[in-house]
Amino acid sequence: MVSWILKKILGSKNQRELRRLTPIVRRINELDEQFKSLSDEELRAKTAAWKEEFTKISEPEDQWKKLDEILPEAFAVVKNAARRLKERQHSFTVCDQPMVWDMVHFDVQLLGGVVLHRGRIAEMATGEGKTLVATLPLYLNALAGRGAHLVTVNDYLARRDADWMGQLYNFLGLTVGCIEHDQEPDVRREQYAMDITYGTNSEFGFDYLRDNGMATTREQQVQRGYHYAIVDEVDSILIDEARTPLIISGPATISTHQYDKWKPLIEQLVRKQNMLCNRVASEAIEKFAQGEVETGGRLMFKVKLGQPRNKQLLRMMEDPDKRRAVDKAELSFFQDTRKEELFQLKEELFFTIDEKSNEADLSEQGRAFLNPDDPNAFVLPDLINEFTEIDLDQTLSPEEKDKRKAERQQHCDAQAERIHNISQLLRAYCLFEKDVQYVIEDNKVVIVDEFTGRKMPGRRWSDGLHQAVEAKEGVQIDRETQTLATITIQNYFRLYQKLAGMTGTAETEAAEFHDIYKLDVNVIPTNRPVRRTDNNDRIYKTRREKYNAVIKEIKEAHAKTQPVLVGSVSVEASELISRMLKREKIPHNVLNAKFHMQEAEIVARAGQPGTVTISTNMAGRGTDIKLGSGVIERGGLMVIGTERHEARRIDRQLRGRCARQGDPGASRFYVSFEDDLMRNFGAADRMTRIMERFGLEEGQELEHRWLNKSVETAQKRVEQRNYMIRKRTLDFDDVMNMQREVVYTYRNEVIDSEEPRKLIYEVIDEAVPAKVKEYLDVDEPNYTGLTHWVNTTFPLGLTKEKAQFDTRAVDENTQFLIEKIKDAYERKSSHEEPTAVKSLERYIILNAIDRLWQEHLYAMDALREGVYLRGYAQKDPLIEYKTEAYDMFVELMANIKNEVLNNLFRSTSNLQAFENFLATLPQFLMREHAPTAPTASADARMRQPVGAMAGVAAGDGDGAGEVSIDLPVRRSIPKVGRNEPCPCGSGKKYKNCCGRTA
């Protein structure tokens, strides 16, 4: 009560903050008046003068302070320039559409600009001109000369806004670039070099990954830093998109999937399950008719486990008594005392489906159907026990033991692959629907974003799920992919020194923005009062009744030529409404993932009299709906939502499409108990009881603001669950992020280094001591092992006598080896082309980093998937993940150094340089009677690996001798076949004569 009174007197926190910014807005308007007397050149000169001033300020902190000082003046310059363009009716073309500049910043837009410059999120209602607001802070921050980025949700909006707002920037003397899909690296670099750059979040993110994970020279890198960014539709990008990491992947070296092999069996299994569930549902109907409610409820619960979207089940769930019977059965089965009964019930099905967790699980009956002859087909062997038994078997030789272990490992891998393939195919058939989660286009499966309704070409579900869906749909199954580089959207945007965002709906997610991105939300008031009427939800028992009511309301609005915008949550739902409207002969436009090329044109026309527009999610559409003539008198745009979305934000975005800039408008949502939100998150039970109490009949609806609260409660539950998923994703990715920063920093240091040899020598100085300690700093020093490692890694040809490791201390041995390795490397480098040596040295390090980092990513993925099982041992998976990830990272860095050492003498700038080097070496034949190398025994030479420098060995053990190399024997006569006459002239076959001793 006290806080309510204080809020009434002092205003909310948001109102108090906005009041503090009001004097700045006043000052901007005063300066704008003063600048009216300036010529165009004098106004532009201010930009040049500020840019010149910033070149003399090197410290970022000092630059930020200077930007804050000049803010009112810079904003006034932008506003004044916008006024001049409007007064001159400046005409231009944007995306092939002729336009005339007709905008000048309102005071609330100036307020939004200040909020954005301060690194916060500005919540501004749809139609309040967020695109124009962004010009103020972008212009100001671009003056520092370090780049300012504006991030949008699609290529069309990035190109449109860069062309449109570019008129203003160009007038003031700033350059504007736009990052688009499929641009060449040279073009991208030019766009990033501009003062202001527009682009999509995925393009910025993928450029970061390519620059840091794949580029091998500074010329191949395109980005130039992370100074300041504004994220448009910030909730869509930083929250909805944040659940999916950005991944650059390449084809895996081998593909072992068996989806096409198992597809026919899985199809049969799904058909058998459908028939079984239909039969059980029919039995349930009979039991209810006979008055056996408890048995009927048990049977319906069984159908719910096996086929949650069964049509008979959904129809029965409309009846309050039957719904209550199912809920009662479900609650009783989940009691601890009835766990075994629940297990037996599941075993009566072929598989069970859990819609909430998106999982499908085979029962014993289902496993027997798929593999009737092999009871252990779905049991992974216990490799530890099997390996132990093999080791204890005294009758086997070491080679046979290794062979047996390899066979068991191969069997285990094949078993795991089969189980995984079948599991993913089940998910594809039971949980992923065509035209809901994906569409088929050009013989490919294209994912549809559940939040924006947009197609996402190029994106693939991970872990083989995408291939399973491809197999289900009978399209080409692409090869498995391997992760080359990855980052989450969250961690990419946390790279920026200052981040801001703008959207129409951020307040409901303010806590998440603050916790993850340290961004506060300020709600900016509208320029004119909002005149939209938000009607109460209408709630029906079935989808059929709901859609009939929607069509009825559309007909009524269309009859009086009031424009209608119908929002649906999936492509399937939008097409269903479209078919119903065609039956009623009502003309309409459909905007969904299949037609988003024309989306801007369709949305722009949605406000014309009598227009009916059906759309999937409106999030991030970015185009204003302007009302046609006479529409205001008819009540403005009518927005109808055919289903409540999981997130309240998305519903608010849909509502916000009408009543822009003080226009009239109305909105209403239609809900049924069959909607996924109501089925899965529990608002349906309470509603059922209310409907029963009022005795409502088919076609009648419930409507009350208290019911709206009940639906919102369900939405809050989903939001909280999704937030926890995103938070967990971030907690795990933070571990990867720290490792990524270390690896990418090292990688960039290699690329930027003028003297990569220093880095090579650093690796030698760090890796050799570790290896020497590994062999010698133990209770029983392994001098033979150290000698073997040295000779297989470097061309030193050491023997026990020459090395004399046992006569020195560990540190002295380390110093001895480092000096010899560096000396040998200097001699090798002297034969390389001087211009190519630096590139070769960079390549050696980068190649080691990239290859092992990719393997590390694969191992980290496997760790992340398996670490959750440790929860069963009462261990926190996150802590376990952090501990193991650290150990794996330490091992990675050591392996990178060892890989560099291994490749140091096995790489050359070109073949000619290598041959020049070989020409300086004394040569001898690899024969028993050949002269023995002065330092290396035949055994030591034979152990050397095959490679560019595998046979090279230094001539003496002290580094002062020559370097020698083993070469293969060359025949002086042609090769003789075993059955050919012997060349000695005896007349016998070669194999029976001289060939016997060969």
Side-chain angles (χ1 to χ4, degrees):
M1 186 67 183
V2 175
S3 62
W4 182 82
I5 293 168
L6 286 173
K7 194 179 281 186
K8 281 291 178 188
I9 298 168
L10 303 173
S12 66
K13 180 175 181 281
N14 186 66
Q15 288 168 335
R16 292 196 301 275
E17 286 184 6
L18 293 181
R19 274 204 297 271
R20 279 197 287 272
L21 299 179
T22 308
I24 299 174
V25 174
R26 256 199 314 272
R27 178 64 182 147
I28 294 168
N29 287 325
E30 288 167 10
L31 290 166
D32 174 39
E33 286 298 319
Q34 293 174 23
F35 292 162
K36 285 181 180 176
S37 59
L38 299 177
S39 66
D40 289 357
E41 286 69 29
E42 287 171 326
L43 198 65
R44 273 191 214 102
K46 287 187 170 293
T47 304
W50 280 323
K51 288 184 82 171
E52 177 65 29
E53 208 172 326
F54 274 103
T55 58
K56 298 168 185 170
I57 305 172
S58 56
E59 288 299 317
E61 287 299 318
D62 296 334
Q63 288 189 342
W64 293 124
K65 285 176 187 171
K66 181 65 180 174
L67 288 172
D68 290 339
E69 283 174 25
I70 65 170
L71 182 146
E73 202 174 343
F75 278 26
V77 165
V78 178
K79 182 174 180 178
N80 196 273
R83 178 180 284 106
R84 293 179 189 215
L85 290 177
K86 183 180 179 182
E87 287 169 353
R88 294 166 193 178
Q89 293 191 325
H90 176 66
S91 58
F92 51 99
T93 305
V94 173
C95 297
D96 302 322
Q97 297 290 319
M99 293 186 74
V100 175
W101 188 276
D102 63 347
M103 299 179 293
V104 182
H105 304 78
F106 300 126
D107 284 359
V108 289
Q109 290 175 315
L110 298 175
L111 207 57
V114 176
V115 166
L116 290 175
H117 169 69
R118 294 192 170 184
R120 297 179 187 171
I121 290 173
E123 180 179 305
M124 301 182 73
T126 304
E128 290 295 307
K130 290 188 284 291
T131 309
L132 185 64
V133 170
T135 58
L136 298 161
L138 283 174
Y139 169 80
L140 174 61
N141 285 275
L143 295 173
R146 291 160 61 201
H149 298 165
L150 189 129
V151 186
T152 65
V153 289
N154 65 30
D155 276 342
Y156 166 74
L157 290 178
R159 192 171 66 252
R160 185 202 72 178
D161 292 354
D163 288 352
W164 191 8
M165 298 301 119
Q167 306 299 315
L168 190 56
Y169 301 129
N170 292 334
F171 181 81
L172 290 169
L174 290 183
T175 54
V176 188
C178 180
I179 305 297
E180 293 180 61
H181 192 55
D182 291 335
Q183 279 179 336
E184 291 296 316
D186 291 345
V187 178
R188 283 176 181 271
R189 197 176 306 105
E190 286 172 16
Q191 304 305 311
Y192 278 114
M194 302 287 188
D195 295 314
I196 295 164
T197 307
Y198 284 74
T200 64
N201 58 311
S202 54
E203 291 302 320
F204 281 117
F206 285 133
D207 281 340
Y208 167 78
L209 291 176
R210 280 189 285 264
D211 279 3
N212 291 278
M214 301 172 82
T216 54
T217 63
R218 175 54 69 193
E219 290 68 37
Q220 289 174 359
Q221 295 182 323
V222 295
Q223 292 187 334
R224 61 169 178 143
Y226 310 97
H227 170 58
Y228 176 74
I230 297 175
V231 182
D232 192 10
E233 301 295 351
V234 66
D235 56 324
S236 178
I237 290 175
L238 296 191
I239 290 182
D240 301 339
E241 297 261 342
R243 287 160 71 185
T244 310
L246 295 175
I247 296 172
I248 291 182
S249 54
T253 48
I254 53 168
S255 185
T256 56
H257 76 79
Q258 302 167 343
Y259 294 111
D260 34 11
K261 174 187 171 185
W262 290 103
K263 178 190 170 182
L265 274 174
I266 294 294
E267 274 185 345
Q268 286 180 45
L269 185 72
V270 171
R271 269 201 301 273
K272 285 179 81 73
Q273 174 98 328
N274 291 349
M275 288 162 63
L276 173 64
C277 287
N278 287 333
R279 194 166 63 246
V280 173
S282 301
E283 284 178 39
I285 293 170
E286 288 174 17
K287 294 295 180 187
F288 279 123
Q290 294 165 11
E292 297 179 36
V293 176
E294 193 172 331
T295 312
R298 181 185 180 281
L299 291 169
M300 278 177 67
F301 174 57
K302 185 175 172 181
V303 176
K304 189 178 177 183
L305 285 173
Q307 200 180 6
R309 295 178 187 174
N310 182 281
K311 289 182 180 175
Q312 290 187 74
L313 172 70
L314 292 176
R315 266 200 298 276
M316 282 193 280
M317 292 292 270
E318 295 164 18
D319 186 308
D321 292 331
K322 290 171 185 170
R323 178 187 285 277
R324 197 180 302 113
V326 176
D327 293 342
K328 190 176 176 183
E330 186 169 356
L331 281 171
S332 67
F333 272 114
F334 279 109
Q335 291 171 2
D336 285 343
T337 53
R338 301 191 67 183
K339 282 282 172 69
E340 285 187 21
E341 285 182 69
L342 177 61
F343 177 74
Q344 286 165 3
L345 187 72
K346 288 181 177 179
E347 286 302 313
E348 291 170 18
L349 297 161
F350 290 99
F351 55 85
T352 55
I353 297 171
D354 184 350
E355 278 191 306
K356 285 186 186 178
S357 60
N358 238 20
E359 292 296 334
D361 186 32
L362 276 174
S363 66
E364 203 57 52
Q365 191 181 175
R367 295 185 195 111
F369 173 80
L370 292 174
N371 271 81
D373 303 327
D374 185 1
N376 294 322
F378 291 89
V379 179
L380 284 176
D382 186 345
L383 285 180
I384 294 174
N385 281 345
E386 291 189 8
F387 282 5
T388 306
E389 286 172 15
I390 292 169
D391 285 334
L392 293 174
D393 190 344
Q394 302 297 328
T395 62
L396 299 175
S397 67
E399 290 76 17
E400 287 174 321
K401 286 180 181 179
D402 289 343
K403 187 180 176 185
R404 290 268 182 96
K405 285 180 182 178
E407 285 171 1
R408 297 314 299 157
Q409 180 70 56
Q410 206 170 352
H411 171 68
C412 180
D413 291 345
Q415 198 93 318
E417 183 76 26
R418 182 170 65 246
I419 294 169
H420 179 69
N421 286 175
I422 289 169
S423 170
Q424 295 294 48
L425 273 170
L426 259 185
R427 289 179 69 199
Y429 272 93
C430 302
L431 293 161
F432 288 79
E433 290 184 47
K434 183 180 171 183
D435 288 342
V436 179
Q437 282 96 346
Y438 63 91
V439 292
I440 304 297
E441 198 172 77
D442 299 331
N443 204 34
K444 286 187 181 295
V445 171
V446 180
I447 300 174
V448 174
D449 188 313
E450 64 170 312
F451 287 97
T452 61
R454 295 183 187 282
K455 287 179 294 189
M456 299 192 289
R459 296 261 184 113
R460 291 177 68 80
W461 285 303
S462 60
D463 214 20
L465 177 61
H466 206 95
Q467 290 167 295
V469 175
E470 287 171 334
K472 168 193 167 185
E473 293 296 341
V475 301
Q476 179 188 329
I477 303 176
D478 289 337
R479 272 177 69 179
E480 291 168 61
T481 54
Q482 179 184 346
T483 301
L484 304 180
T486 176
I487 190 171
T488 58
I489 289 287
Q490 293 156 320
N491 274 321
Y492 173 71
F493 283 110
R494 285 157 80 189
L495 292 170
Y496 281 90
Q497 294 171 22
K498 189 157 68 171
L499 183 66
M502 50 189 188
T503 179
T505 47
E507 206 175 9
T508 54
E509 314 290 347
E512 181 168 350
F513 283 124
H514 181 76
D515 291 349
I516 292 178
Y517 302 98
K518 301 293 180 281
L519 288 172
D520 292 320
V521 176
N522 284 138
V523 181
I524 309 297
T526 54
N527 187 45
R528 295 176 185 168
V530 177
R531 292 170 58 194
R532 185 181 70 237
T533 306
D534 292 333
N535 297 302
N536 291 325
D537 294 3
R538 284 185 175 163
I539 300 164
Y540 295 83
K541 282 203 280 188
T542 68
R543 276 187 176 162
R544 182 166 41 83
E545 294 171 54
K546 177 184 76 173
Y547 284 129
N548 286 336
V550 167
I551 300 300
K552 185 182 173 187
E553 178 143 12
I554 293 171
K555 279 176 73 176
E556 289 171 4
H558 185 66
K560 57 180 185 181
T561 66
Q562 181 183 10
V564 181
L565 176 67
V566 185
S568 65
V569 295
S570 69
V571 178
E572 183 186 43
S574 66
E575 292 187 341
L576 171 65
I577 297 165
S578 175
R579 287 196 298 273
M580 293 174 79
L581 286 175
K582 279 176 185 168
R583 273 207 308 270
E584 299 291 336
K585 296 186 171 52
I586 295 175
H588 58 277
N589 294 315
V590 180
L591 175 63
N592 59 30
K594 292 185 173 179
F595 306 111
H596 82 266
M597 290 297 285
Q598 307 102 312
E599 70 176 38
E601 191 184 338
I602 293 173
V603 170
R605 290 202 308 265
Q608 298 305 311
T611 305
V612 177
T613 307
I614 303 168
S615 162
T616 42
N617 207 312
M618 293 302 292
R621 294 301 183 192
T623 307
D624 281 344
I625 298 175
K626 295 181 180 176
L627 300 184
S629 60
V631 171
I632 291 175
E633 292 74 29
R634 298 180 182 93
L637 180 66
M638 177 71 188
V639 169
I640 296 174
T642 59
E643 196 170 324
R644 281 284 196 169
H645 201 276
E646 284 184 353
R648 289 171 293 163
R649 250 177 331 103
I650 312 297
D651 293 342
R652 288 180 63 204
Q653 282 170 349
L654 181 59
R655 277 196 161 128
R657 303 305 298 183
C658 66
R660 63 180 289 283
Q661 287 291 326
D663 290 340
S667 69
R668 187 190 299 279
F669 279 90
Y670 286 78
V671 182
S672 85
F673 291 149
E674 293 178 4
D675 295 346
D676 291 344
L677 176 74
M678 307 296 277
R679 283 191 305 111
N680 290 336
F681 295 93
D685 306 338
R686 199 176 312 147
M687 307 277 191
T688 305
R689 289 196 291 273
I690 295 169
M691 288 193 129
E692 189 183 8
R693 196 175 301 141
F694 287 109
L696 295 177
E697 304 194 359
E698 183 165 341
Q700 284 186 280
E701 79 273 359
L702 280 176
E703 182 181 333
H704 197 282
R705 57 193 174 87
W706 290 357
L707 295 178
N708 298 358
K709 293 283 183 192
S710 187
V711 176
E712 281 190 16
T713 303
Q715 289 176 307
K716 283 178 186 173
R717 283 183 201 149
V718 190
E719 285 170 8
Q720 188 61 28
R721 189 195 67 152
N722 288 342
Y723 170 56
M724 294 311 295
I725 292 170
R726 290 190 293 268
K727 188 80 171 70
R728 200 70 171 163
T729 302
L730 187 69
D731 288 340
F732 276 91
D733 196 63
D734 274 343
V735 179
M736 273 298 298
N737 198 46
M738 287 186 276
Q739 297 184 3
R740 187 189 301 111
E741 282 178 12
V742 173
V743 170
Y744 284 178
T745 303
Y746 182 36
R747 212 178 172 283
N748 283 326
E749 189 184 341
V750 175
I751 290 172
D752 294 336
S753 174
E754 292 296 322
E755 293 294 334
R757 186 164 304 182
K758 287 182 182 175
L759 297 174
I760 295 270
Y761 284 174
E762 276 177 23
V763 170
I764 295 171
D765 292 338
E766 289 170 16
V768 172
K771 275 289 181 185
V772 172
K773 282 183 181 176
E774 184 184 322
Y775 285 107
L776 304 187
D777 203 3
V778 289
D779 294 337
E780 294 183 15
N782 184 359
Y783 299 117
T784 308
L786 178 60
T787 307
H788 175 67
W789 174 76
V790 170
N791 285 334
T792 52
T793 310
F794 312 105
L796 300 184
L798 293 180
T799 62
K800 184 179 178 182
E801 295 75 27
K802 295 290 183 183
Q804 297 181 342
F805 289 134
D806 51 348
T807 64
R808 302 186 200 90
V810 174
D811 292 344
E812 290 171 343
N813 278 324
T814 301
Q815 199 55 40
F816 165 74
L817 284 176
I818 288 173
E819 285 173 8
K820 289 185 73 60
I821 293 164
K822 288 182 179 177
D823 182 56
Y825 184 69
E826 289 293 341
R827 272 185 282 161
K828 174 187 176 286
S829 300
S830 65
H831 293 279
E832 301 281 359
E833 292 182 18
T835 53
V837 170
K838 287 183 181 179
S839 298
L840 175 65
E841 289 169 342
R842 280 196 196 94
Y843 172 78
I844 289 170
I845 305 177
L846 291 176
N847 187 52
I849 293 171
D850 292 348
R851 191 179 71 76
L852 292 168
W853 176 244
Q854 287 163 24
E855 288 179 10
H856 180 71
L857 289 176
Y858 186 77
M860 289 288 281
D861 279 346
L863 171 65
R864 188 165 173 175
E865 283 173 25
V867 81
Y868 286 104
L869 297 173
R870 302 195 188 179
Y872 292 113
Q874 304 302 309
K875 292 179 179 178
D876 183 346
L878 182 60
I879 292 172
E880 292 291 302
Y881 179 76
K882 285 179 177 177
T883 306
E884 294 236 358
Y886 176 74
D887 293 341
M888 287 168 68
F889 185 67
V890 170
E891 189 180 342
L892 166 73
M893 297 311 286
N895 288 343
I896 287 174
K897 289 167 188 168
N898 289 331
E899 180 84 354
V900 170
L901 296 185
N902 273 317
N903 292 336
L904 206 53
F905 291 92
R906 291 180 171 83
S907 309
T908 182
S909 54
N910 64 46
L911 188 61
Q912 186 61 50
F914 190 59
E915 287 175 351
N916 292 343
F917 179 43
L918 296 184
T920 67
L921 308 180
Q923 299 172 3
F924 56 87
L925 301 178
M926 290 175 66
R927 286 281 191 184
E928 287 179 18
H929 59 269
T932 307
T935 59
S937 67
D939 288 344
R941 287 200 311 276
M942 293 305 287
R943 281 199 299 264
Q944 294 203 0
V946 177
M949 295 291 297
V952 178
D956 64 3
D958 59 8
E962 297 175 313
V963 179
S964 59
I965 183 166
D966 297 342
L967 290 178
V969 177
R970 305 212 181 272
R971 289 190 186 85
S972 55
I973 58 171
K975 182 178 178 180
V976 182
R978 282 168 51 77
N979 292 314
E980 291 178 15
C982 187
C984 71
S986 64
K988 296 180 181 178
K989 287 185 179 180
Y990 178 63
K991 66 181 179 183
N992 296 324
C993 188
C994 299
R996 276 187 303 180
T997 57

